[in-house]
Amino acid sequence: QTCPDERRDTFQRVVQQRTRHLSVAFERPSNPSNVWACLRTIDAFGCQDVHIVEDSLEEAAKRAAARGVHADPTQRMRGRKKRMTSAMGAQKWLSLEAHSDAQALVARLKA
């Protein structure tokens, strides 16, 4: 199936209007629905680059223990991460880049 020339030209024009002068970063997002809404807004403003500092299971377990939650966070985190991935996958027009920690994000932005 091919794309009509007029539609392809529209895609090219829209892509050229997007900006890389502004990047947005999320640090350990916890609610996939909120992230999805934010990504739609970022897309609407024409920003291209989104950075996400992901949360490791170990870090989540440490924070949960510090709050007095001693249930196994592994299953909850895996479920959250799965929902997060599917929510982000809907934003196929953005450039999403994951980072292991904030220092890795800062190093990438300074590069």
Side-chain angles (χ1 to χ4, degrees), residues 50-103:
V50 179
H51 299 271
I52 300 146
V53 176
E54 295 182 320
D55 209 359
S56 71
L57 294 176
E58 295 79 17
E59 289 300 316
K62 286 178 191 174
R63 279 196 315 284
R67 291 191 317 267
V69 177
H70 296 290
D72 179 23
T74 305
Q75 290 302 96
R76 285 194 322 259
M77 283 297 295
R78 284 195 178 123
R80 185 182 95 185
K81 193 162 181 112
K82 184 177 180 182
R83 289 188 309 272
M84 186 68 203
T85 302
S86 64
M88 291 187 312
Q91 302 303 326
K92 57 188 169 190
W93 303 111
L94 300 171
S95 298
L96 303 174
E97 187 173 338
H99 304 277
S100 58
D101 56 34
Q103 291 81 9

Side-chain angles (χ1 to χ4, degrees), residues 31-47:
N31 186 329
S33 297
N34 289 344
V35 172
W36 189 69
C38 289
L39 292 177
R40 286 187 315 193
T41 302
I42 291 164
D43 184 40
F45 276 97
C47 297

